[in-house]
Amino acid sequence: MAAFTADALALGAHWVYDIAQIKDKYGRLDFMASPEIAPFHKGKKKGDFTHYGDQMFLLLESLSYCSGFDFDNFSTQWKAMFEDYSGWVDGATKETLANLEAGKSPQEAGSGSTDLGGASRMVPLALFYGEDRETFMANAETQTAMTHNHPQVIQSARFFASAAIETAEGRKPLDALEMAQKELSSNSPIYQMITDGLESVDKETTQAIAGFGQMCETQAALPGTIHLIAKYPNDLKTAMVENVMAGGDSSARGILCGFILGICNGMNAVPEQWIKEMRLADRIRSLAGITK
């Protein structure tokens, strides 16, 4: 639920890189807003998801329908969604669809995009595989590679799946991140990105994320996400708001940050007003078995 609300909160300023514009329009964006200054999401309404959140919801539906991860079902439903999609279709999606149209199988059609958003979509897998580390990480990799077949993004999905399990087993978020990093080789394409994020914890968030880069690519978004988790381990709301105020691809960062902080802080940490204003909240509750 934290991951979904993070995406919905990001919608109002998603891909707005001028943080002064966000402040001028909203002050402190700690509420759901329609994408008035986020032109890529024209037509979306307050409480809707970005295209990342829509794909994450599709994965949740597929998992529920199949009682687990079924690649054929998910890939078929994903392709069908984008045949008549009213939201933004990003470069990774266009490339994947073109590869499918050219005759490639879903297993080999993934784009070469390095955008972290492909990994962030995997969050609902935790509902079915949160106690099965290897299966969780393997399925996280598979769903990511379907559209983002790049080592940086695939390893990021595996890393966050591992960190989520470490968190669910009772480790503090910082410890969980460090434990998951230890599973990587030092020459992993994301190892230094994680270190950079961890070492930025004393910086102000907008400064840290500006330094890494506000953009979608893993080399920017991954250390920015690590910064948020490490800096606000006990304050999910502040982490989500500071993420949005930092501009750029606040959706991918927010989803993964919300995922980890949601695990350790629980449902009470997710502002009830955010959930109330999220348009698919009741459907998510039903699919995920959330009783609150």
Side-chain angles (χ1 to χ4, degrees):
M1 190 62 83
F4 278 112
T5 55
D7 180 79
L9 183 71
L11 177 70
H14 188 232
W15 282 337
V16 176
Y17 287 80
D18 183 352
I19 62 174
Q21 184 183 11
I22 299 173
K23 289 180 181 178
D24 288 345
K25 176 65 178 179
Y26 298 111
R28 185 165 175 80
L29 189 47
D30 58 359
F31 52 89
M32 299 288 178
S34 59
E36 297 175 76
I37 61 172
F40 292 100
H41 300 296
K42 185 178 180 180
K44 293 278 190 177
K45 299 177 182 179
K46 181 175 101 171
D48 280 338
F49 298 135
T50 73
H51 58 303
Y52 294 153
D54 284 338
Q55 292 177 70
M56 184 165 62
F57 182 76
L58 182 74
L59 177 58
L60 175 60
E61 286 188 310
S62 176
L63 286 161
S64 179
Y65 178 77
C66 298
S67 299
F69 183 60
D70 184 308
F71 180 82
D72 290 339
N73 178 270
F74 178 55
S75 61
T76 298
Q77 296 304 318
W78 181 89
K79 184 175 182 292
M81 182 175 81
F82 282 106
E83 289 174 352
D84 186 28
Y85 184 62
S86 59
W88 177 249
V89 181
D90 62 19
T93 299
K94 290 177 181 177
E95 184 178 340
T96 301
L97 290 171
N99 288 337
L100 290 169
E101 186 66 24
K104 289 188 176 182
S105 70
Q107 289 85 351
E108 61 183 3
S111 76
S113 172
T114 63
D115 291 356
L116 187 63
S120 68
R121 185 179 58 208
M122 60 89 172
V123 169
L125 290 168
L127 291 168
F128 286 82
Y129 305 106
E131 297 180 357
D132 185 347
R133 181 187 299 267
E134 289 304 319
T135 304
F136 186 9
M137 291 193 291
N139 287 340
E141 288 182 340
T142 300
Q143 79 83 35
T144 300
M146 189 188 82
T147 54
H148 293 68
N149 194 15
H150 191 284
Q152 288 183 2
V153 195
I154 294 170
Q155 286 198 21
S156 295
R158 186 175 181 88
F159 167 78
F160 278 107
S162 177
I165 288 180
E166 293 288 347
T167 307
E169 291 178 348
R171 295 189 188 275
K172 295 179 180 179
L174 180 57
D175 294 335
L177 294 174
E178 291 176 342
M179 288 297 293
Q181 185 187 29
K182 288 179 181 178
E183 296 176 9
L184 302 169
S185 66
S186 58
N187 61 358
S188 162
I190 67 169
Y191 191 95
Q192 187 59 46
M193 299 176 198
I194 297 166
T195 298
D196 291 343
L198 292 171
E199 292 179 347
S200 73
V201 70
D202 292 329
K203 293 183 178 179
E204 190 269 332
T205 294
T206 54
Q207 177 189 19
I209 290 177
F212 297 134
Q214 301 161 289
M215 56 277 199
C216 311
E217 289 82 359
T218 297
Q219 59 263 35
L222 177 57
T225 303
I226 299 298
H227 164 88
L228 290 162
I229 296 169
K231 190 172 182 67
Y232 308 103
N234 303 311
D235 193 346
L236 185 149
K237 181 179 179 180
T238 296
M240 297 295 91
V241 175
E242 291 295 331
N243 169 56
V244 173
M245 297 305 295
D249 189 8
S250 49
S251 172
R253 295 191 309 258
I255 288 171
L256 290 168
C257 176
F259 181 33
I260 301 299
L261 296 187
I263 292 170
C264 67
N265 289 287
M267 277 292 293
N268 288 336
V270 185
E272 185 61 34
Q273 188 63 29
W274 292 358
I275 298 174
K276 187 180 298 184
E277 294 183 358
M278 188 166 58
R279 293 166 67 86
L280 288 174
D282 289 342
R283 182 65 176 148
I284 292 168
R285 280 194 180 97
S286 175
L287 291 170
I290 298 172
T291 57
K292 179 180 176 181

